[in-house]
Amino acid sequence: EGKVKATPDTARAEIGFVTEGKDTITVQNENSSKMNAVIKFLKERGTHEADIKTSNYSLSPKYEYSKGKSSLVGYVLNQNLTVTVRNLDKIGEILDGAVSSGANRIDSVSLFIDKPEELKNKAREEAVKQAKGKAALASETAGFKLGRLVNFTEGFSGEPPMFFESMAKGGAASAPQIEPGTQEIKVSVTLTYLLK
């Protein structure tokens, strides 16, 4: 098994909007206004359009219950944007600015390594080196010789993205601090040899 540790370089944030009102038109218009302001802010901070995606949109009636009866009192619109932030130095500013621009929820922030291929290659090299060394030691100890390599299998595992959850509150004094820490990428290999 080969292991490589690396610092995450990308964040994905779920930025949410919850809008309530008496009728659907008012709710949708208010929500659209907040959404447009947040998208404008994100683009002004260098977030590419491809990194901004609507991930949820739901409009539902809101009822109040009294003495066994329900009455319609309005509507609730929930909408989420999934935003990929490729510069982790900006993640706190992005979250703070999104809330200041009209978002009222930050449902989660996940940190991950955007392109782990090079790290997987390093872990694979280490795993193969270890496997060859173990095979050579086993053959020497047991008194047989290794023939040719006849099979190679590989498994990969990376630590799952790290998640941070919070409910946004407007008027924050400063941008939230998000620490990336490290993640471990593992590659395990099995080498099968013929014996002489």
Side-chain angles (χ1 to χ4, degrees):
E1 184 174 75
K3 300 177 185 178
V4 177
K5 282 193 177 275
T7 302
D9 56 11
T10 308
R12 188 166 287 127
E14 290 291 328
I15 297 172
F17 304 80
V18 180
T19 308
E20 296 186 27
K22 294 285 186 189
D23 61 82
T24 59
I25 300 298
T26 303
V27 169
Q28 290 179 13
N29 287 342
E30 184 182 336
N31 189 77
S32 293
S33 176
K34 290 189 281 188
M35 176 67 74
N36 291 340
V38 169
I39 290 172
K40 180 181 178 203
F41 164 79
L42 292 170
K43 288 181 178 178
E44 286 173 353
R45 293 303 181 276
T47 306
H48 296 289
E49 197 167 312
D51 289 332
I52 304 169
K53 179 177 89 171
T54 298
S55 53
N56 175 53
Y57 187 97
S58 65
L59 178 65
S60 56
K62 181 179 179 182
Y63 293 96
E64 279 187 0
Y65 297 91
S66 177
K67 298 179 182 176
K69 292 185 178 182
S70 65
S71 58
L72 178 66
V73 293
Y75 294 87
V76 180
L77 195 153
N78 285 283
Q79 186 169 4
N80 278 69
L81 280 181
T82 301
V83 180
T84 302
V85 181
R86 300 190 186 280
N87 180 351
L88 284 189
D89 292 338
K90 290 186 173 183
I91 186 63
E93 175 191 347
I94 294 290
L95 297 176
D96 188 51
V99 172
S100 297
S101 298
N104 53 13
R105 292 180 62 100
I106 303 295
D107 290 329
S108 71
V109 177
S110 59
L111 303 178
F112 59 96
I113 298 165
D114 188 36
K115 295 180 180 172
E117 291 78 15
E118 187 178 320
L119 297 170
K120 283 185 198 176
N121 289 341
K122 287 181 183 176
R124 183 180 299 109
E125 286 174 22
E126 177 62 28
V128 169
K129 184 177 170 183
Q130 284 181 24
K132 284 181 174 180
K134 287 180 179 181
L137 180 61
S139 68
E140 185 181 317
T141 303
F144 56 82
K145 290 187 178 182
L146 292 177
R148 65 184 176 88
L149 180 67
V150 294
N151 193 25
F152 174 91
T153 59
E154 177 181 318
F156 163 76
S157 69
E159 289 184 2
M162 294 178 283
F163 288 93
F164 304 89
E165 295 185 12
S166 63
M167 174 67 83
K169 293 182 173 65
S174 63
Q177 184 69 30
I178 304 292
E179 294 296 333
T182 60
Q183 291 183 354
E184 188 173 74
I185 291 177
K186 299 179 206 173
V187 173
S188 59
V189 300
T190 302
L191 306 182
T192 305
Y193 291 91
L194 289 176
L195 303 181
K196 293 181 180 178

